Amino acid sequence: MTTATRPGQGPLTGVRVLELAGIGPGPFAAMLLADLGADVVRVDRPGGPGLAIDPAFDVTNRNKRSVIIDLKAPDGAARVLDLAERADILIEGYRPGVAERLGIGPEACHARNPRLVYGRMTGWGQDGPLARRAGHDIAYIALTGTLGMIGAPGEPPPAPANLLGDYAGGSLYLVVGVLAALHHARATGTGQTVDAAIVDGTAHLSAMIHGMLAAGGWQDRRGANLLDGGCPYYGTYETADGRYMAVGALEPQFYDEFVRLLDLAEHSGARKDWTRWGELREAVAARFKSLTRDEWTSLFDGTDACVAPVLSLREAPHHPHLAARGTFTDHDGLTQPAPAPRFSATPTAVRTGPAQPGAHTGDVAHDWDVPDLLKGREPDGPATQGAGPDGPAPKGLA
């Protein structure tokens, strides 16, 4: 169930992935697999999944191909099953029970393809009291204790975009899961279902903190610990121009360099003396307010004080280090993060821009040998975006 090897596409070249369209962590996971070289075919529904962005700018659909299938049409499930029969991995993000109701759940897919890895991306998981409840990233991470770790004491925890839950606790764990299951399937001939829940993945991310908590090295409150802003030499400080610098001078040699460059030698002995941390924080904050961010960046350049400017999304691609590494790339005029990580023998790249819904039906029908995919199809091309009635569960409905 693999396509012909295409050199230079990445280490997953030859792996076929079927993605049932949604928004949030599922598409990001499929993008990562596509970046790594997999042939990812996204099944869009007429009207689209309801993402409020022009599909031409939806970077999470790069390196993919798209077909449109109406899952509620009489032959909708059959067309999906035809594709699932030829896939190595399937990814869906519906609420529990929806895929089964549509006739494309794990049992139906495994009846056609016993080797298939069926990846399920949800917020709450496939079982448990909250499994069928709607939610978003912020609710998932709230219950795991990770949201409560973030922010200043006495203030509400800030929303960390949707990076911590959706993408770190969700997408990345789904990708690890389906690749591990693919390894097992290729060794044994037996596929399986992977239940990737954002609550599980996000909780797993806090493993080290739980160990520190049990050992008495972490207080169960915000702003009181080494890595949560409680430590004055691990945090952010405002500069004279209203911008910020990030400080991470944890080890003794880095801390010594940090206070030397700030001209705060009188605080050199405060590193381990938490009774002096308040005084140290005030002194460091005052010093940073005396110069602009760019002036501090220049002063710390070339040192091991572990200090860096806090850049905006538009500034980041132009930083000399990131520019030299090609951390960001431009494809058809769209600046975006380059695929990661990097491989010495099977390099990756942004090969194609965001897949327009339904634009590749003919190619996929030919390449995957699914001629029925062409029956009664809409002409290849962009589809209007809007919400479907059952919704592949976007992150808020996962």
Side-chain angles (χ1 to χ4, degrees), residues 352-371:
T352 61
Q356 296 291 304
H360 309 97
T361 305
D363 289 341
V364 172
H366 175 269
D367 295 346
W368 284 36
D369 191 23
V370 187

Side-chain angles (χ1 to χ4, degrees), residues 13 28-29 47-48 97 103 163-164 166 210 223 227 304 386:
T13 297
F28 185 88
L163 302 179
L164 175 57
D166 277 356
H210 277 275
L227 303 175
D304 277 343

Side-chain angles (χ1 to χ4, degrees), residues 39-42 63-67 355 360 363-364 367-368:
D39 179 11
V40 177
V41 171
R42 177 179 168 98
N63 288 338
K64 301 178 184 179
R65 298 191 285 180
S66 170
V67 301
H360 309 97
D363 289 341
V364 172
D367 295 346
W368 284 36

Side-chain angles (χ1 to χ4, degrees), residues 108-157:
C109 288
H110 284 140
R112 295 281 294 271
N113 180 0
R115 299 172 61 94
L116 180 70
V117 173
Y118 195 106
R120 314 197 82 165
M121 181 77 261
T122 61
W124 304 117
Q126 294 298 311
D127 53 42
L130 299 179
R132 296 178 182 273
R133 186 178 298 181
H136 276 292
D137 172 289
I138 196 166
Y140 309 141
I141 66 175
L143 287 197
T144 65
T146 49
L147 179 61
M149 292 167 47
I150 302 170
E155 297 181 6

Side-chain angles (χ1 to χ4, degrees), residues 28 33 45 99 105 148 187-188 199 206 246 273 297 318 328 336 347 369 397:
F28 185 88
L33 295 170
R45 59 172 56 194
T188 66
V199 289
S206 64
D273 186 355
T297 299
H318 303 289
F328 292 85
Q336 56 197 282
D369 191 23
L397 299 178

Side-chain angles (χ1 to χ4, degrees), residues 88-90 110 114-119 173-195:
D88 298 293
I89 297 169
L90 181 149
H110 284 140
R115 299 172 61 94
L116 180 70
V117 173
Y118 195 106
Y173 278 85
L174 176 62
V175 169
V176 169
V178 297
L179 292 181
L182 179 63
H183 175 75
H184 174 266
R186 289 185 165 178
T188 66
T190 303
Q192 61 183 299
T193 301
V194 178
D195 175 4

